[in-house]
Structures are given as C-alpha cells and as structure tokens.
C-alpha cells in the first residue's frame, strides 16, 4: 500500500478556515519602512566629527559606502539572528539582519541622522526572501547613544 500525500492547496479549497489562516499569516509579512533618527548636534569641526561617526559605526558594521564630501555612510547587511529552518534547509539559517545608513544634516553645529533598517526572512519561502521590518530599535539606540556621547566629549 502506497502512502497518500495530502495537497495543501486542496485542503485550503475544501476548508475555508485553512485559507483564512494562510491569508492571516501572510499578512504578518508586510513591509514596514525604517525611519530616520537625529543625533543631537555638537560644536566640533566637521572633519573630526565625521571621523568619529565613521569609527563608531564601523565598530558595529562593515562599511560599504563612505563619502565624507557629502556626509553619507552606509553599511552592508549584518545577520543579527538565526532560526531553525529544518534539516533539509541546513539547520540554522539567517532570519534577521540589519544595516545602518548615516547622513549629515548640518556641518555646523554638526548634526547627523541615523537609520538602522531591519529585515526578517520569510519562513514561507524557506528563508530565501527578506521583508522590511522597520527599525532595529535596540541597535539604533545603542549606536546613537555611543555617537552622542563621543561627539559631546570632544
């Protein structure tokens, strides 16, 4: 006797409750845009302040773009959490990641905006696609507090 395989599509069509559950779960994967936060201004020369910004952010992330002339800095993605995806997916896989973007708002007094974007992997696609998930508040606050302290103490 051969085992019978159950088609998930047939179950959803025959049982509307399963279809409603699938729609509800997929709605949980909606994208949330990250927002900018401002670091309090500091009365120090732009060149010195920019070096502090670059050095501070590089302690948390690998940097991909650094443009001192325009006052723009962006990191690459960094995995912040792993999840169990099952034996067939290789066990633990990245499921959350973050990247930081910094832009100078004013040179005198020196003021920057910071945005730490967070994405989470979609388990419905075997963790192969990423969905925006707003700000990584913990990491953003940590970077902003460190930056504010270092800029204030110069």
């Amino acid at each position: 006797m051969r085992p019978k395989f159950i088609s998930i599509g047939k179950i959803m069509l025959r049982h509307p409750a399963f279809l409603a559950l699938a729609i509800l779960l997929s709605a949980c994967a909606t994208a949330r845009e990250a927002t900018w936060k401002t670091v309090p201004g500091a009365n120090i020369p732009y060149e010195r302040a920019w070096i502090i910004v670059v050095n501070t952010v590089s302690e948390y992330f690998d940097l991909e773009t650094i443009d001192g002339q325009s006052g723009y800095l962006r990191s690459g993605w960094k995995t912040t959490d792993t999840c169990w995806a099952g034996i067939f997916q290789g066990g633990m896989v990245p499921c959350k990641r973050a990247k930081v973007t910094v832009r100078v708002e004013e040179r005198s007094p020196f003021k920057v905006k910071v945005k730490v974007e967070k994405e989470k992997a979609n388990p419905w696609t075997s963790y192969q696609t990423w969905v925006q998930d707003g700000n990584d508040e913990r990491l953003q606050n940590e970077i902003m507090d460190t930056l504010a302290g270092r800029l204030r103490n110069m």
Side-chain angles (χ1 to χ4, degrees), residues 31-37 57 60-61 64 72-81 95-103 113-120 130-141 143-144:
R32 292 185 311 155
E33 189 85 19
T35 57
W36 292 92
K37 306 279 169 105
V57 175
Y60 295 89
F61 290 92
E64 285 186 347
Y72 179 82
L73 174 150
R74 187 184 71 234
S75 74
W77 288 104
K78 174 183 174 181
T79 299
T80 58
D81 198 7
C95 63
K96 292 181 184 172
R97 65 184 184 177
K99 78 173 179 178
V100 65
T101 307
V102 177
R103 70 175 187 219
K113 286 196 169 197
V114 177
K115 176 171 66 171
V116 180
E117 299 172 69
K118 177 174 64 170
E119 289 187 341
K120 59 184 176 183
W130 294 91
V131 178
Q132 288 181 334
D133 193 27
N135 294 73
D136 186 325
E137 295 289 340
R138 182 198 60 78
L139 192 53
Q140 184 161 334
N141 289 336
I143 291 171
M144 289 183 61

Side-chain angles (χ1 to χ4, degrees), residues 50 54 58 62-74:
W50 181 247
V54 172
S58 67
D62 291 331
L63 303 180
E64 285 186 347
T65 304
I66 305 168
D67 186 358
Q69 292 294 339
S70 65
Y72 179 82
L73 174 150
R74 187 184 71 234

